[in-house]
Amino acid sequence: MGRGYSARIAANPYIVGSFACIGGGLFGLDISSMSGVLSNGAYKATFGFPGPAAQGAIVAAMPAGSLVGALAVTQLADRLGRKRTIILAGMIWVIGSILQCASVNRGMLVVGRIISGLSVGLSSAIVPIYQSEITAPSIRGRMVSLQQWSITWGILIQYFIQFGCSYINGVASFRIPWGLQMIPAIILSLGMTIFPESPRWLFDKGHEEEALQILADLHGGGDTNNDMVRLEYEEIKQQVYFERTEGAKSYLDLLKGGNPRRVFLGCSLQMWSQLSGMNIMMYYVIYVFQGAGLTGRRGNLIADSIQYVLNVAFTVPAILFIDKWGRRPMLLAGTLLMGFWLYVVGGLQSRFGDWGDVDGSRVWVILNNEAATKAIIVCSYFFVCSFAITMGPVSWTYPAELYSLKIRGKAVALATATNWAFNTALAFAVPPGLSTIAWKTYFIFGTFNFAAFIHVLFMFPETVGRSLEEVEEIFQQGHVFAPWKIGKDVGRKTLGDVIGKSKIDDEKHSEEAA
């Protein structure tokens, strides 16, 4: 990357960070690429009319591949760098999309979805790392939250493409949407070639001058003497030098000091985001509304699309205010609200539903009760809005800012892999669950949300507004066992503090070299 480019475009961290979010959009494209075809006759005929177990396996193929992709980031993030890993993810997605588009049987479709999953796993783990490392603390939450927003846009765009193509007779009704989804990946891979590498990764690899210039371009208008730029540069320098004194990077670093606690926090948050029940509402929303008594393809598709629009719209307030509201309040409010709405849906299904036959399948369904049907649909909408404005964006932001540079790539990759592990399990489990225990499924996920509330209340410290190095200070000082007591001054550093410590470290390194 040359400085001419930096002066023109890379001076705006919003452009740099938001472009990388196309990687998150790939996840969204995949979600609705399946939810939009579950009632498609041509899709059913081509792939042998898959039952609940078979359909669960087809859907789960993508998150299974994503699990492998996320784990691969534990190596690729530090070896290839953040930027080149994102480029690789886009290239792999194109291959997966081609196979899905051309698939003629379940085996070929599953292979295509696994390959696409590898891409989604790579991008979902590496993009938040990249965003967190190129943005200033004051906007970091907003920028990383764009990852979730891009997911919602991917869901919405693909769903409306599916909606339009559903009026085409034959296999083109699902092949066209599956083929078109490779376009964003091509844009991502080509576009990322002109964007900067993470300055923290560059510093760690010995490219200190280039790292300083990128920091200046992003946060100081190109001025390497800008106070904020110098503060961030010195903090990175101290952290890198400190970590080098501890030896080479390894997986054992995840088990040293206070790192196990932080790794657990990141992994558990991604776990709770999946156990919140959002999978039901995204992958299998057609089954949910079918069970509520909403009949007819057109009515079901329109109801589904409203949900996806709300998902996009209600992520916007979170993006705008996540750095003001804080991570803890958003998580606490979101888990309570989601648990409440799921309990209401389960209660309505239990009270007014019964086993019946819909399109030749035995399902728990509400019949001839328009009020109950509308109530379930509205509560489902409220649930999606609650997730979009709280858990959705925070689940990507929080893990990306918990860790030191030495373990960030591996730890964030493990957290994201946890997301995909539970995503895979739920993709398998939800269709059989809805077809066997029916309304009790909603109570199970509602209980998960209330458990998540208790966990967040007692274990998750606030990280809003702090640099990545200041977050490190919070954990080093041992303030994480009563997270509600952590003051805003804990971990805060001034330019004078950092430069003073930097001089001491420089003298120490000079003495060691001598």
Side-chain angles (χ1 to χ4, degrees), residues 297-311:
R297 186 188 71 167
R298 182 177 178 85
N300 215 318
L301 288 173
I302 292 175
D304 298 347
S305 67
I306 292 173
Q307 175 162 278
Y308 295 140
V309 170
L310 290 173
N311 195 21

Side-chain angles (χ1 to χ4, degrees), residues 313-391:
F314 277 83
T315 304
V316 175
I319 294 172
L320 296 176
F321 298 108
I322 187 172
D323 291 313
K324 293 182 179 179
W325 294 342
R327 307 341 179 202
R328 276 174 57 83
M330 292 175 71
L331 289 173
L332 292 171
T335 49
L336 279 181
L337 287 171
M338 289 186 291
F340 173 76
W341 297 122
L342 287 174
Y343 263 67
V344 172
V345 170
L348 290 170
Q349 285 277 14
S350 172
R351 175 65 178 83
F352 299 106
D354 204 346
W355 291 109
D357 184 271
V358 177
D359 296 331
S361 300
R362 179 176 177 269
V363 297
W364 184 274
V365 62
I366 294 175
L367 297 174
N368 303 318
N369 193 323
E370 187 175 349
T373 297
K374 289 181 178 178
I376 289 175
I377 293 173
V378 170
C379 288
S380 299
Y381 289 160
F382 280 138
F383 170 86
V384 170
C385 293
S386 300
F387 180 90
I389 205 170
T390 59
M391 175 70 82

Side-chain angles (χ1 to χ4, degrees), residues 155-179:
I155 295 171
L156 181 66
I157 292 171
Q158 177 72 304
Y159 192 81
F160 276 114
I161 293 174
Q162 293 272 5
F163 184 90
C165 290
S166 69
Y167 292 94
I168 300 175
N169 292 323
V171 296
S173 60
F174 62 85
R175 295 199 191 280
I176 291 175
W178 289 355

Side-chain angles (χ1 to χ4, degrees), residues 23-258:
L26 302 181
F27 179 17
L29 289 172
D30 176 83
I31 290 176
S32 51
S33 74
M34 289 308 301
S35 63
V37 301
L38 294 180
S39 60
N40 185 315
Y43 164 81
K44 292 179 179 179
T46 301
F47 298 105
F49 296 91
Q55 185 57 56
I58 292 172
V59 172
M62 191 279 296
S66 299
L67 171 60
V68 177
L71 289 174
V73 172
T74 61
Q75 289 296 317
L76 296 177
D78 292 328
R79 293 178 182 271
L80 286 183
R82 291 33 168 160
K83 171 180 168 179
R84 280 180 285 186
T85 303
I86 295 174
I87 294 172
L88 177 63
M91 295 168 62
I92 294 174
W93 176 267
V94 173
I95 297 172
S97 296
I98 292 172
L99 285 174
Q100 289 184 69
C101 182
S103 58
V104 294
N105 53 49
R106 292 183 194 175
M108 191 172 177
L109 176 60
V110 167
V111 170
R113 286 182 57 75
I114 290 174
I115 293 175
S116 292
L118 289 172
S119 168
V120 173
L122 289 173
S123 60
S124 61
I126 199 65
V127 169
I129 296 174
Y130 179 74
Q131 291 172 311
S132 68
E133 292 184 345
I134 65 168
T135 52
S138 60
I139 63 169
R140 186 175 62 241
R142 184 179 304 169
M143 291 307 303
V144 181
S145 294
L146 288 175
Q147 166 86 343
Q148 175 63 23
W149 201 40
S150 68
I151 293 172
T152 67
W153 272 109
I155 295 171
L156 181 66
I157 292 171
Q158 177 72 304
Y159 192 81
F160 276 114
I161 293 174
Q162 293 272 5
F163 184 90
C165 290
S166 69
Y167 292 94
I168 300 175
N169 292 323
V171 296
S173 60
F174 62 85
R175 295 199 191 280
I176 291 175
W178 289 355
L180 290 176
Q181 66 184 1
M182 72 179 70
I183 295 175
I186 295 172
I187 296 173
L188 174 66
S189 290
L190 292 177
M192 280 302 297
T193 60
I194 64 171
F195 282 93
E197 180 55 89
S198 160
R200 286 172 169 82
W201 183 82
L202 287 170
F203 198 109
D204 191 39
K205 296 301 178 181
H207 306 291
E208 300 181 10
E209 289 300 320
E210 186 178 357
L212 175 60
Q213 186 60 52
I214 290 176
L215 285 172
D217 292 334
L218 291 170
H219 306 150
D223 180 11
T224 56
N225 293 315
N226 178 278
D227 283 350
M228 179 181 175
V229 171
R230 296 303 305 182
L231 173 62
E232 193 167 9
Y233 178 79
E234 295 295 340
E235 284 184 330
I236 295 171
K237 180 180 177 181
Q238 287 179 22
Q239 190 66 35
V240 170
Y241 283 171
F242 172 74
E243 289 170 355
R244 285 176 182 169
T245 63
E246 296 187 321
K249 297 178 181 179
S250 73
Y251 288 98
L252 291 177
D253 292 324
L254 299 173
L255 303 177
K256 294 179 180 178

